[in-house]
């Protein structure tokens, strides 16, 4: 049978900014939404990020995509780093995962999605807006940005990019331009430079 046509539904930049404003006083959700956009992640993927996957001093993320085992990398924006540090300071915990519930347990994708919907409604956004749309827009913004190729967008999203996946270690520096393009698209002139130290 013919496969159903793929129809990505990217979140609008103004909707994301309203969502971010709605969680300004909630460090955990601010950090989670920024990291999801920064790294082009679905709910289950951002929930699976471990402390060992991120280096806040270097400003990088390196992990395997749980669904496929394909490596994914990202250069973290300064605003993402600041948000994660604020969350860690406000809600310290001992879990190996970055984001945990009030009981200290790792989040599930359903838990992340339900909490997203609560904050979406508080921001007055349409109920058609879903967490997955953050990932759709991030990937589209990177893929379509001038100077960013298909390979860079795939590496950011944790997609297979060819035979080199078996032989080449994916470096965050490969996706620096893609991550910067996503931030510009969503946050415009307020975007701050991405951190590029320790990428070589």
């Amino acid at each position: 049978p013919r496969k159903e046509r793929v129809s990505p539904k990217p979140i609008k930049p103004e909707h994301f900014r309203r969502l971010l404003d709605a969680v300004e006083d909630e460090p955990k959700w601010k950090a989670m939404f920024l990291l999801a956009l920064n790294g082009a992640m679905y709910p289950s993927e951002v929930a699976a990020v471990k402390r060992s996957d991120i280096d806040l001093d270097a400003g990088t993320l390196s992990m395997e995509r749980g669904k496929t085992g394909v490596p994914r990398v990202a250069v973290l924006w300064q605003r993402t780093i600041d948000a994660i540090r604020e969350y860690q300071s406000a809600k310290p915990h001992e879990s190996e995962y970055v984001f945990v519930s009030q009981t200290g347990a790792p989040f599930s994708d359903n838990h992340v999605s339900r909490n997203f919907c609560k904050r979406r409604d508080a921001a007055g956004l349409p109920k058609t807006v879903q967490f997955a749309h953050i990932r759709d827009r991030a990937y589209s913004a990177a893929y379509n940005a001038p100077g960013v190729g298909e390979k860079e967008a795939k590496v950011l999203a944790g997609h297979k990019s060819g035979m080199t996946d078996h032989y080449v270690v994916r470096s965050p520096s490969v996706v620096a331009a893609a991550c910067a393009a996503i931030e510009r698209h969503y946050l415009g002139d307020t975007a701050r430079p991405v951190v590029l130290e320790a990428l070589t």
Side-chain angles (χ1 to χ4, degrees), residues 37-38 40 77 138-139 141-142 156 177-187:
L37 181 67
N38 195 160
W77 309 324
Y139 186 68
L156 175 63
C179 293
I182 296 169
E183 188 177 25
R184 283 195 303 270
H185 181 80
Y186 268 90
L187 303 167

Side-chain angles (χ1 to χ4, degrees), residues 29 38 104 107 109 125-126 131 171 183:
W29 296 102
N38 195 160
F107 278 114
D109 56 341
L125 300 180
F131 195 114
S171 169
E183 188 177 25

Side-chain angles (χ1 to χ4, degrees), residues 10-13 37 132-142 185-186:
I11 189 173
K12 296 179 180 179
L37 181 67
H133 299 171
I134 295 175
R135 186 265 185 198
D136 288 346
R137 172 61 73 180
Y139 186 68
S140 296
H185 181 80
Y186 268 90

Side-chain angles (χ1 to χ4, degrees), residues 49-118:
V49 176
K50 297 181 178 179
R51 290 170 180 261
S52 58
D53 296 330
I54 58 175
D55 185 333
L56 295 180
D57 293 328
T60 60
L61 176 144
S62 299
M63 62 185 295
E64 288 188 356
R65 192 177 181 204
K67 182 178 180 180
T68 62
V70 175
R72 75 185 313 155
V73 294
V75 173
L76 302 180
W77 309 324
Q78 187 61 50
R79 68 181 77 248
T80 305
I81 296 168
D82 292 345
I84 293 174
R85 282 184 166 146
E86 181 184 2
Y87 162 56
Q88 291 179 336
S89 176
K91 301 289 184 181
H93 60 78
E94 300 300 324
S95 175
E96 65 177 319
Y97 293 91
V98 174
F99 302 106
V100 296
S101 67
Q102 292 182 347
T103 64
F107 278 114
S108 67
D109 56 341
N110 287 333
H111 194 178
V112 173
S113 296
R114 288 198 305 272
N115 276 276
F116 169 85
C117 291
K118 291 179 182 177

